[in-house]
Amino acid sequence: MSKLNIALVGAGRRGAGSHLSVIAKLKDVYNLVAICDIDEEAATRAAQKYGANPYTNVRDLVEHEELDVVDITVPGVAHHAIACFMADAGVHILCETPIAMTLPTSDMIIERAKANNVKLEIAENYYRAPRERFLSKVIEAGVIGDVARIYRIFHEGGYHGMSMLRLRAGGEPKSALGITQSTPVIPIIDQMKRNHTNERWSLGFIEFDNNATAIMIYSNVIHARSLGRGQTGISQIDGSKGTIVGEDIYVTPESDLQSGAKGIAHRAKRSTIDVNGVDVIEKIELELPDQTVTWENPLKHYPLPERQIAVADELLSIATAVLNDTEPEYGAARARQDQEMNIAMSESGKRSRETLLFPLTELTETERAANEKYQRQYGHPIEDVEAGIDTFFPRH
Ligand SMILES: NC(=O)c1ccc[n+]([C@@H]2O[C@H](COP(=O)([O-])OP(=O)(O)OC[C@H]3O[C@@H](n4cnc5c(N)ncnc54)[C@H](O)[C@@H]3O)[C@@H](O)[C@H]2O)c1
C-alpha cells in the first residue's frame, strides 16, 4: 500500500487525543504531515508532539501541503465549513460526528465532495467497537432470530444512538416520536470539559419498515455520567427466538420451548494477544450448543488497545476508499440519516409529540433554531463557508 499524507484539523480534546495517537500507530498507511488549529498554541503543541507542521488556518494548510486525506475534528457546528473547503481543495475527508448540525449543511458537504470527486467518510465510531461488531455477527448468524425491539436506555443518544438503533433494527426508519424535556441543573463541567446548566432529556420511539421498533432514553447529563446519572444503562435487543441483554446472549433450548421457554444466558469469550507490549483483542467467540459465532479483530497486527480500534477502523475506511477507489464503509448518507432521525426526534418533541415520517422534506423548527443560534453567535449565516473557516468555534 502506498502511504497517504494526512492532516488533522482541530487539535482539541478529542482530536489531539484519540485520533492523533492512532494515526501515529498506522505508519504503514499514513504520513501525518500537518496539524491545523485556529488556536495557535493548540496547533503548535500537537504538531511538536507528533512531529508535524503546525498551521492556524486551513487556507495556509492546503497551500503549503500536498494532502491526500484530512481528518476533521473541529466542533460539530464547523464541520460543514471546513469539510466544504477541503473538498474544494480536492482532499479526501474523514469528518467527526455529527456530519453537520442540519440536513442542508450535511447536503452541502455531500454535494461538494461529489462535485470534487473526493471520498467522504464520517467517523461514526459506536458500531465499530469490537463488542458491537461481535453483536452484529451474532444477529447476522440468526442466534436471536428476527429483531423485533431495541431498547437503549441511558446509553449514548443523539446521532450515535440513532445509528445503533438503525443498525440493530436492520431496517429503514419509517417514523419517529419524540418526547423532550429541559430541566435546570446546577452549573457543572463534565469529564470531557463540557459545560451544562440544564438537562436536555429525550425519549425517542422509532418505527422501522421491517416492523422493528426502538426506544431510546438519553440526556446530556446522562451522557456525561455526571450527577450520578447513567450509572447503569439498559441495552436489550429482543428477537423472535432470543434476547441480547448487555453482554448476555439468551437462547432457549429446543426441548424447553413448550415448557417455560426460559432463555439461558451465554457469554462470549475474549482472547487477547501481545503486540509490542499492548494487550490486543484477537477475537470474541460465542459457543452455543449448535453453533459458534466468532468476530476476529482485523486490526490485530496493530498495537491498538480496544478503545482505539474504532478510530483506527474509521481512519482505515477512508484510506481503503482512497487507495482502491471504493466507497468508505459507513459513508455520508448513513451519517446524514442518523442526524435526520435525531432531528426528527427533537422536532416531534417540539410539535407536542407529533409523529414525524421519514424522509423529512422541509426545514424543521429544530434546524431553523440551530441556524439562528449560529448566526447570533458567529455573526454570519451558517452556509457562509468562507466566513466559517476563519471563525473560532469554542467548545460549549
Ligand atoms: N465520535 C465520538 O464519540 C466523539 C467524541 C467526542 C467528540 N467528538 C467530535 O469531535 C469533534 C471535536 O471535539 P473536541 O471535543 O475535540 O472539541 P474541542 O473544542 O476540544 O476541539 C476542537 C478544536 O477545534 C479548533 N477550532 C475551532 N475552530 C476552528 C477553525 N475554524 N479552524 C481550525 N480549528 C478550529 C479549536 O481551537 C479546538 O482546539 C466534534 O465534532 C465532536 O462532536 C466525537
Side-chain angles (χ1 to χ4, degrees):
M1 233 187 339
S2 54
K3 283 209 201 187
L4 300 171
N5 284 347
I6 189 168
L8 178 133
V9 180
R13 281 163 283 243
R14 165 114 180 145
S18 60
H19 285 227
L20 287 170
S21 55
V22 173
I23 293 170
K25 289 184 181 179
L26 303 177
K27 282 198 168 45
D28 55 332
V29 179
Y30 285 119
N31 277 324
L32 176 68
V33 293
I35 295 173
C36 174
D37 197 296
I38 203 162
D39 172 354
E40 188 168 1
E41 202 215 309
T44 313
R45 191 174 356 104
Q48 266 171 5
K49 180 166 175 194
Y50 290 94
N53 297 325
Y55 292 91
T56 55
N57 176 304
V58 283
R59 295 178 215 276
D60 294 340
L61 171 70
V62 299
E63 199 184 315
H64 293 104
E65 301 287 350
E66 287 286 317
L67 298 179
D68 298 304
V69 176
V70 63
D71 184 1
I72 300 177
T73 58
V74 293
V77 284
H79 286 175
H80 67 288
I82 304 287
C84 288
F85 178 84
M86 296 308 290
D88 285 344
V91 182
H92 302 287
I93 297 166
L94 174 66
C95 179
E96 252 302 346
T97 52
I99 175 170
M101 302 315 283
T102 63
L103 298 181
T105 48
S106 305
D107 290 336
M108 277 173 68
I109 307 180
I110 294 170
E111 280 156 24
R112 295 320 301 153
K114 195 165 174 229
N116 290 291
N117 207 15
V118 303
K119 307 285 181 193
L120 172 60
E121 177 64 314
I122 305 301
E124 176 49 55
N125 51 333
Y126 278 73
Y127 82 98
R128 299 183 209 252
R131 175 181 176 274
E132 300 297 348
R133 290 275 195 194
F134 163 70
L135 290 182
S136 295
K137 286 224 148 191
V138 171
I139 294 170
E140 276 160 29
V143 172
I144 62 162
D146 294 331
V147 171
R149 270 169 307 282
I150 304 119
Y151 304 84
R152 283 184 88 85
I153 298 184
F154 301 166
H155 280 272
E156 77 296 316
Y159 36 85
H160 289 307
M162 291 303 175
S163 161
M164 289 309 300
L165 298 183
R166 206 176 67 252
L167 177 78
R168 293 293 172 241
E172 290 297 309
K174 250 180 23 182
S175 70
L177 163 69
I179 301 178
T180 52
Q181 187 194 21
S182 183
T183 53
V185 291
I186 54 165
I188 50 169
I189 297 177
D190 69 22
Q191 53 188 346
M192 294 286 283
K193 308 253 186 313
R194 289 174 293 224
N195 298 304
H196 308 264
T197 52
N198 66 339
E199 180 164 11
R200 296 174 301 282
W201 180 94
S202 54
L203 182 153
F205 176 76
I206 313 284
E207 266 185 316
F208 294 88
D209 63 355
N210 60 357
N211 204 31
T213 55
I215 289 184
M216 181 175 92
I217 294 181
Y218 167 81
S219 86
N220 53 312
V221 182
I222 292 170
H223 186 101
R225 303 277 177 266
S226 296
L227 302 177
R229 310 271 206 276
Q231 300 303 320
T232 33
I234 298 173
S235 166
Q236 180 171 309
I237 305 167
D238 299 352
S240 53
K241 58 180 194 168
T243 308
I244 301 174
V245 187
E247 302 267 322
D248 292 322
I249 293 137
Y250 284 84
V251 287
T252 302
E254 194 83 31
S255 55
D256 294 351
L257 285 175
Q258 307 301 318
S259 52
K262 275 211 178 294
I264 294 177
H266 298 264
R267 241 181 215 213
K269 284 203 191 79
R270 298 161 158 261
S271 48
T272 57
I273 47 171
D274 181 278
V275 180
N276 304 346
V278 177
D279 212 17
V280 173
I281 188 155
E282 186 188 26
K283 60 180 178 181
I284 307 180
E285 195 158 71
L286 175 71
E287 274 185 44
L288 296 171
D290 58 345
Q291 72 187 122
T292 300
V293 182
T294 312
W295 172 82
E296 285 200 44
N297 179 6
L299 310 180
K300 65 183 178 196
H301 49 290
Y302 290 110
L304 296 164
E306 195 166 337
R307 68 189 151 73
Q308 289 188 327
I309 287 176
V311 173
D313 186 321
E314 61 211 20
L315 280 158
L316 292 172
S317 169
I318 187 71
T320 307
V322 171
L323 293 166
N324 300 345
D325 195 14
T326 52
E327 286 312 306
E329 186 189 62
Y330 199 69
R334 285 198 184 93
R336 182 192 187 280
Q337 205 175 17
D338 298 339
Q339 193 56 311
E340 183 183 29
M341 292 166 74
N342 185 33
I343 290 167
M345 195 179 80
S346 142
E347 186 73 6
S348 167
K350 273 193 205 292
R351 294 195 203 168
S352 302
R353 304 168 194 179
E354 180 191 327
T355 298
L356 298 191
L357 302 181
F358 295 109
L360 298 181
T361 49
E362 281 164 16
L363 190 73
T364 56
E365 199 43 55
T366 306
E367 292 167 289
R368 205 165 285 129
N371 287 349
E372 280 164 16
K373 186 174 170 200
Y374 181 101
Q375 169 108 30
R376 227 179 14 253
Q377 277 183 319
Y378 304 114
H380 59 262
I382 197 166
E383 299 81 16
D384 189 341
V385 165
E386 289 295 321
I389 60 177
D390 293 325
T391 301
F392 170 60
F393 294 91
R395 188 95 219 239
H396 294 289

